Amino acid sequence: MKHVILGNGPTGVVAAETLRRAAPADEILMVGSEGEPPYSRMAIPYLLEENIDESGTYLRKTPDHFKKLRVRELNARAVSLDTEQRRILFQDGHFEDYDRLLIATGSHPVRPPIPGVDLPEVQTCWTLADARAIANLAKPGSRVLQLGAGFIGCIIMEALAARGVQLTVVEMGDRMVPRMMTPKAGGMIKNWVETKGIRVVTNAGVKRIDRSAQPSVVDVTLSTGDVLSCDLVIVAAGVAPNVAFLESTPVHVAKGVLVNEYLETSVPGVYAAGDVAEAPDLFTGEHLVAAIQPNAADQARVAALNMAGRPTKLNGVLAINVLATLGLISSSFGQWWGEKSDQGGAGVEHIDEARYRYLSLQFKDDVMIGATSIGLTEHVGALRGLIHGQVKLGAWKERLLANPLQFVEAYVARSQQPMALAR
């Protein structure tokens, strides 16, 4: 059996290692397209902060790790797929056949259609090559504008602040991290960031980027009418799955590659996992792309086991986001936005703006389905446990609606104690 894994990020690496354990005699080919050793994009901010060097981003530290596992590595980019012949065409013109295929091609940063977005002073922050370019431009005192204050944007923002730049962040939404935080929570994070000397402009976008009269400087025109002279512009306006090579194939693609609970696509023998996959949600069963590393690792293991002929189901995707923003820890789990009241939904907020403490809990019937927190660094794992375990709260639901800070007690009472009694 020959397994081909398209992608050598965290998903591809975990899948290759899982496959080797599950199928010791099979052939495994792992394909990357950047000409770099397998590395973690999430480590790039630490590289920009100069806390690590490039080798610190590598997913496996010994150069012969995959050779010892008998995993063949290839640097190439897939351009088309023939699912009938089970054959992949690569950009350099060569083909690879497969018996089982894992699509783990991840995603790429979106560049909005803004005039001037292709100027050399405008960068994304997604690859090691991007990091090298940013390091050359983001010097102490450099004037930097970042477009986007989502999850990835906030991580990049932290690295830029550590480099001592003069930073302005522009976000089209009405708050920071709008796809992770409730309106109140996102507003609190904005206030926190501004106290650290970073300018944040919400409800605004970039209209155009023009070459300035000054060398190596661009003038950025905002939708507010403001014009800012910048040494560097970082575009952090979201990502999109790498699926172009699947055009004209029977592999079904929506926002990402649609997969079932076995991580198999609409084509038998073709699987997908990680940022590129659109898998069933834990609660609703509806498909969603959850581009976070814990989900990528879980999906990689499940996909690999199924490729090796060991039927294994994914329990369902749980949205998990944990973010450190200039020392302020925030998190969101599950359906943090909640359900409508006519669907059994209810919610409660605890707000302490002076101490930057916030907690929102969301329920459907007597099960917690989502939570958002700021400044609560202890025991937030209990929130994940309650949500992921779909723990029935019983009378504890009303107690939490009255005092949401009792979530740890609820977790112990309704999750841990019954398990202990069962023993």
Side-chain angles (χ1 to χ4, degrees):
M1 186 78 73
K2 178 180 178 181
H3 306 275
V4 175
I5 300 169
L6 293 179
N8 67 344
T11 306
V13 165
V14 171
E17 293 170 343
T18 305
L19 265 171
R20 176 51 69 223
R21 289 191 295 269
D26 287 359
E27 181 182 353
I28 303 171
L29 171 64
M30 183 173 66
V31 184
S33 62
E34 293 182 33
E36 311 278 5
Y39 71 93
S40 170
R41 301 196 194 284
M42 299 308 294
I44 287 176
Y46 302 102
L47 174 63
L48 289 173
E49 292 173 17
E50 299 181 345
N51 291 330
I52 58 173
D53 59 16
E54 286 197 10
S55 66
T57 69
Y58 297 167
L59 290 167
R60 299 296 179 263
K61 304 308 180 185
T62 53
D64 59 350
H65 176 78
F66 296 103
K67 184 178 181 180
K68 287 182 176 178
L69 289 177
R70 291 175 292 110
V71 172
R72 182 162 66 94
E73 295 183 85
L74 175 67
N75 179 49
R77 185 177 297 275
V79 293
S80 69
L81 175 64
D82 185 336
T83 56
E84 288 189 7
Q85 297 295 319
R86 297 199 173 201
R87 177 174 291 187
I88 309 155
L89 171 64
F90 291 92
Q91 196 170 41
D92 61 6
H94 95 277
F95 291 89
E96 290 284 349
D97 295 325
Y98 66 87
D99 295 299
R100 298 286 184 271
L101 172 64
L102 176 63
I103 301 167
T105 47
S107 50
H108 62 274
V110 174
R111 279 186 177 259
I114 298 169
V117 76
D118 294 322
L119 289 169
E121 292 81 9
V122 182
Q123 296 287 332
T124 54
C125 185
W126 196 244
T127 66
L128 284 177
D130 291 340
R132 295 171 193 131
I134 291 169
N136 286 331
L137 294 169
K139 305 296 184 183
S142 297
R143 297 161 297 178
V144 180
L145 182 142
Q146 178 179 300
L147 176 57
F151 180 78
I152 293 171
C154 284
I155 295 172
I156 298 168
M157 178 186 69
E158 176 122 1
L160 292 170
R163 294 185 71 85
V165 305
Q166 300 176 42
L167 183 58
T168 299
V169 177
V170 178
E171 167 58 45
M172 294 187 68
D174 63 351
R175 60 192 185 275
M176 294 190 71
V177 216
R179 287 170 293 280
M180 170 182 162
M181 289 283 130
T182 64
K184 187 65 181 178
M188 289 174 67
I189 293 174
K190 177 189 174 186
N191 292 340
W192 173 270
V193 168
E194 289 176 328
T195 67
K196 303 299 180 180
I198 296 172
R199 181 187 177 195
V200 181
V201 184
T202 52
N203 293 305
V206 172
K207 288 184 67 176
R208 61 181 302 109
I209 305 168
D210 297 294
R211 171 69 62 204
S212 173
Q214 306 172 60
S216 302
V217 175
V218 292
D219 292 331
V220 182
T221 303
L222 304 185
S223 59
T224 60
D226 290 348
V227 180
L228 305 177
S229 294
C230 300
D231 303 295
L232 171 65
V233 176
I234 303 287
V235 177
V239 296
N242 292 319
V243 294
F245 72 100
L246 296 173
E247 291 179 10
S248 304
T249 74
V251 177
H252 292 168
V253 177
K255 290 182 179 178
V257 179
L258 291 169
V259 295
N260 60 20
E261 63 269 34
Y262 298 98
L263 278 305
E264 193 168 29
T265 70
S266 54
V267 176
V270 178
Y271 297 78
D275 292 11
V276 76
E278 193 170 345
D281 176 74
L282 176 67
F283 289 100
T284 66
E286 297 177 2
H287 284 72
L288 79 156
V289 176
I292 56 173
Q293 198 155 312
N295 275 333
D298 289 344
Q299 291 177 14
R301 292 187 189 96
V302 171
L305 291 171
N306 285 303
M307 292 167 71
R310 299 187 182 183
T312 308
K313 286 187 178 182
L314 184 75
N315 291 332
V317 172
L318 177 67
I320 305 169
N321 292 290
V322 179
L323 182 64
T325 309
L326 305 174
L328 183 66
I329 307 298
S330 58
S331 64
S332 65
F333 302 98
Q335 295 178 254
W336 54 266
W337 56 90
E339 289 274 358
K340 295 179 180 178
S341 58
D342 60 359
Q343 297 175 325
V348 60
E349 280 186 317
H350 168 83
I351 303 169
D352 184 349
E353 291 191 72
R355 298 174 62 223
Y356 286 96
R357 299 289 187 272
Y358 174 88
L359 180 63
S360 167
L361 305 181
Q362 301 295 326
F363 304 90
K364 183 173 184 181
D365 299 323
D366 72 336
V367 174
M368 190 187 298
I369 60 170
T372 308
S373 75
I374 292 177
L376 301 173
T377 56
E378 294 183 355
H379 309 306
V380 290
L383 293 173
R384 178 182 178 180
L386 286 168
I387 296 165
H388 192 263
Q390 302 181 64
V391 175
K392 290 190 174 297
L393 293 165
W396 271 98
K397 177 187 174 182
E398 295 304 320
R399 296 187 196 180
L400 290 173
L401 287 171
N403 182 3
L405 293 176
Q406 290 188 323
F407 65 87
V408 175
E409 291 90 334
Y411 178 69
V412 172
R414 300 300 297 171
S415 177
Q416 299 295 295
Q417 196 170 10
M419 289 171 65
L421 290 173
R423 294 192 188 98

